[in-house]
């Protein structure tokens, strides 16, 4: 009888251990990882990465912030269609909006600088008289205030319609000069300040339009402070470069860092 009990007890313990072992070894249910966010990148030369060759079509560079963002925070770059020289109008007529659809989760957009003739003011201040610089700066500022808001509202509405489910990030532009390092060519520190004030006004108008559209605005200007075209550690290319007054590789890294940081709390996908 005792032998039977011992045999039965041993068998019971073996079954119990197997059951416990099976429970421990069984895989637990885990939540499926979130899907990658489908990302489309639109805009002008500051979005295409112009300034850091080699280039693909439309001056697109592998150093562009869109390419650098690819793979971060489960962002998957789908269509990179930014084009050097684009305006709010040519962005649409040139077909950039065809990259967007209901599956687009994230859009980045840098646009507006080419609509206002900003390069004219920079050229006037670098090589013209004080009066020419003041006149060109005033003209560009008037365009920013009076013409740009409607242009931005129009293109932002078209982006929203083309990508109805997307989180849209709009970036601003850097201030091009660091006046504390003195005159640069024909531009005095005061003239550089005036040009930088124009960049501030441009960014203010872009942010206001982004707010009206329900888009996220990312300011990059502060990251370029101390790294203007005339700074010892410049992140802006000079006037004699093939891509004058565009970011260099460090400048595009600054764009990437600003956008990546701003996207931190945003849930995509």
């Amino acid at each position: 009888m005792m032998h039977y009990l011992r045999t039965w007890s041993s068998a019971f313990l073996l079954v119990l251990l197997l059951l416990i072992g099976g429970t421990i070894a069984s895989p637990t249910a885990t939540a499926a990882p979130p899907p990658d966010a489908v990302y489309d990148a639109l805009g002008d030369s500051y979005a295409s990465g112009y300034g850091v060759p080699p280039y693909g079509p439309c001056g697109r560079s592998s150093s562009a912030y869109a390419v650098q963002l690819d793979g971060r925070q489960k962002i998957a770059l789908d269509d990179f269609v930014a084009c050097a020289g684009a305006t709010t109008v040519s962005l649409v007529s040139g077909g950039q909006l065809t990259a967007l659809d209901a599956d687009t989760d994230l859009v980045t957009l840098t646009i507006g600088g080419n609509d206002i003739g900003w390069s004219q003011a920079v050229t006037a201040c670098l090589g013209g008289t004080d009066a020419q610089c003041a006149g060109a700066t005033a003209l560009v500022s008037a365009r920013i205030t009076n013409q740009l808001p409607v242009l931005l509202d129009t293109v932002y509405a078209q982006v929203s319609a083309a990508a109805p489910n997307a989180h849209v990030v709009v970036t601003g532009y850097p201030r091009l000069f660091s006046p504390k390092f003195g005159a640069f060519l024909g531009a005095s520190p005061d003239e550089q300040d005036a040009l930088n004030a124009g960049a501030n006004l441009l960014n203010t108008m872009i942010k206001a339009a982004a707010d009206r559209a329900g888009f996220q605005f990312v300011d990059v200007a502060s990251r370029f402070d101390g790294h203007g075209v005339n700074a010892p550690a410049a992140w802006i290319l000079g006037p004699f470069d093939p891509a004058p007054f565009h970011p260099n590789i460090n400048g595009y890294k600054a764009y990437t860092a600003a956008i990546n940081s701003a996207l931190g709390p945003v849930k995509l996908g």
Side-chain angles (χ1 to χ4, degrees):
M1 181 65 176
M2 292 298 295
H3 175 74
Y4 171 78
L5 290 173
R6 283 196 299 271
T7 301
W8 185 89
S9 298
S10 297
F12 176 78
L13 288 172
L14 179 60
V15 172
L16 183 61
L17 288 171
L18 287 173
L19 287 172
I20 294 173
T23 302
I24 294 173
S26 297
T28 56
T30 56
D36 288 349
V38 177
Y39 168 35
D40 298 320
L42 284 62
D44 58 20
S45 55
Y46 274 67
S48 76
Y50 192 66
V52 187
Y55 304 121
C58 268
R60 296 183 196 115
S61 167
S62 60
S63 297
Y65 65 73
V67 180
Q68 294 187 51
L69 286 168
D70 187 26
R72 303 190 187 197
Q73 302 192 55
K74 295 190 71 64
I75 293 170
L77 181 60
D78 183 32
D79 292 308
F80 176 28
V81 295
C83 190
T87 65
T88 56
V89 175
S90 69
L91 181 149
V92 178
S93 63
Q96 290 192 39
L97 291 181
T98 61
L100 308 179
D101 56 34
D103 293 328
T104 303
D105 298 307
L106 173 65
V107 176
T108 56
L109 176 60
T110 305
I111 201 71
N114 291 325
D115 290 84
I116 59 171
W118 185 245
S119 61
Q120 299 170 15
V122 173
T123 299
C125 291
L126 290 180
T129 65
D130 291 350
Q132 289 172 326
C133 176
T137 303
L139 177 62
V140 167
S141 296
R143 289 173 180 165
I144 294 172
T145 302
N146 300 323
Q147 299 177 18
L148 189 61
V150 173
L151 295 172
L152 292 174
D153 287 345
T154 299
V155 74
Y156 289 175
Q158 291 170 302
V159 169
S160 290
N165 302 314
H167 178 81
V168 181
V169 172
V170 171
T171 78
Y173 293 87
R175 291 181 282 267
L176 297 179
F177 297 92
S178 296
K180 68 180 180 180
F181 295 109
F184 181 67
L185 299 180
S188 68
D190 287 344
E191 289 172 330
Q192 293 172 45
D193 279 329
L195 288 168
N196 285 347
N200 291 340
L201 178 62
L202 174 60
N203 289 330
T204 297
M205 290 300 173
I206 292 174
K207 182 183 184 305
D211 289 344
R212 290 193 297 272
F215 295 168
Q216 181 181 16
F217 175 77
V218 175
D219 177 38
V220 300
S222 61
R223 290 180 180 264
F224 281 80
D225 284 349
H227 298 286
V229 65
N230 55 326
W235 291 357
I236 299 291
L237 297 169
F240 305 113
D241 190 273
F245 298 104
H246 284 77
N248 59 23
I249 183 60
N250 288 326
Y252 285 117
K253 287 180 179 178
Y255 260 90
T256 304
I259 298 169
N260 190 59
S261 176
L263 284 174
V266 176
K267 301 299 182 184
L268 301 171

